[in-house]
Amino acid sequence: GKPWATGQLYLEGYDALAGGEDAAARAHAASQKMTFGLVVKNYLQMVLRELSRRDAEAGYGSRDRPKRSVGSYDVFECESMSVPNVSAEVWCLKGAVRASTPPPSDSVCLVLGAGNQNFLSLIDVIDRVFQHDQVVLLKHHPLRPFLYAPYERILAPLVEAGLVRMVLDEGIAFAEELCSHVRVGHVHVTGSGATHDAICRTLDASGRGAGQVGVTCELGCVTPWLLCNGEWTAGEIEFQAKCLAFSKKFGGGANCLSPQALIVDDDWPQLPEFLEALKRSLRDLPTPPAYYPGAEDRLSALKGEYGPGRCEPVAGTPHPSSTSEAGSSTRPLLPVHLLDCGYFGEPDFVAAGLRKEAFCPALCLVRVRAGNDMSSFLSQATRVANDHLEGSLSCSVSCPESAKGSEDLERAIEALKYGAVGVNCSTVFGYVSSTAGGGWGAYPGLYTRENCGSGFGHIGTSRAGYAKSVVRSASVNTLADISSVPPALLSDILCSCFLSSSALQAIKRSLGVLAAAFFGLFKFSAGGPGGGYKAL
């Protein structure tokens, strides 16, 4: 019976103080609601644009031309990203032809819900219905049953039209029964490689394996973060270090785009300054609970591969809503561990942290010797990322402003075989690009059913030959700094504005939020029960 945002607080461990109703917990819940609403609204608007300009033969109207060509790619501009000073491009392989829409079928697409973000499963459902013309059965993830109610309300028109149904999770046997059902003609999952393999085994056992039931999936990735050498200002070092630190700490590392391998030039003179700034940010930013099941065990196993000499925990301040007055927490509070892999290619190099997505607060340091030469570094780092890290979902490249637009940088962006490339930003903006005409998914053509990697297929754009989205930001972009959570009142006002269909509606909703907050505070000051912002 709790609101879905409260359910998330309890799941993620933000519930130790006053049942999760302290100011920090309210701010976290309000920001999650704002993010949820904005992502879903923008994705629906993107789908409307896609459907309105689709062409039966070419996939797009004749006036939609690439803004430039780069090697084997045609590059298209995305719509506005709704993020200040951040732009996105879609890179499509030349010569590709958009696949024809399959004939109507009486089969159902089974969507297995994601466990780590509230909006992911909803986006998957919308994508399968509108972009792939499929009827969808959504099985919610066992960690997030509280999403059933808001999804039911949002999807009501599709449910009433007979296009969507939902069920809660009832265990592994139930999921296997759904996968093997004769009416299921496609399975889509956001999860791990192990989940993909279990789906395939279930389909094989039911006699409906390869070729009979389609499988698309967004799976994990050992996400690389390439740190360019060159001349950096102190401000650039501080901002990019903070960006990396927040990206690693967010969600306790339980995200498919969480950076896991920091690739650096050990000959870069400013590397010690950057690493110190990184540790400072890791200490200063609040440490969220590592709520995802198995995080402690996965981190412990990785630490065992590296030993104390190569493993440095960087303890930060626990998130204020995650500890009780006695100092306890309902979820593990794990510091980010820096794991020094050593010099790539040398005998004592430890590659254990590069073979599998950690899904915990671990960040591997991969050193190359590039003589402080950007061309040499980016060539080596790109090769390491493409050939020696598991997965191809997304990666980031940090560089000083002086390197923007350089041939070396552009060559690296072209060469990186990742479904999203973030320049001077986290690839959380790579996912956001899927709401602005970009896409999100593994780089195409790399994997097989037996070696699933980061998966097959993508959400977002229906452009023929889609390969990757490239998102660019400035080396210092405070307007796109997402490391601080705004107060709950501000998030609710912004949510009211973003999700309104007109200026008048936005004003009315914002005034309602302010009025509720005012009278709630008045009740609280008078000693009324449930006063303050809790009443909202």
Side-chain angles (χ1 to χ4, degrees), residues 503-529:
L504 180 60
Q505 187 183 58
I507 292 171
K508 288 181 178 179
R509 287 180 172 179
S510 297
L511 289 174
V513 170
L514 288 170
F518 175 79
F519 287 111
L521 289 172
F522 180 78
K523 288 180 186 178
F524 180 77
S525 64

Side-chain angles (χ1 to χ4, degrees), residues 32 171 181 214 258 262 268 272 288 299 392 401 449 479 493 515:
Q32 289 293 305
H181 194 282
S258 178
L262 175 61
W268 179 39
L299 181 59
S392 67
E401 206 65 27
R449 191 172 186 264
L479 294 176
I493 291 174

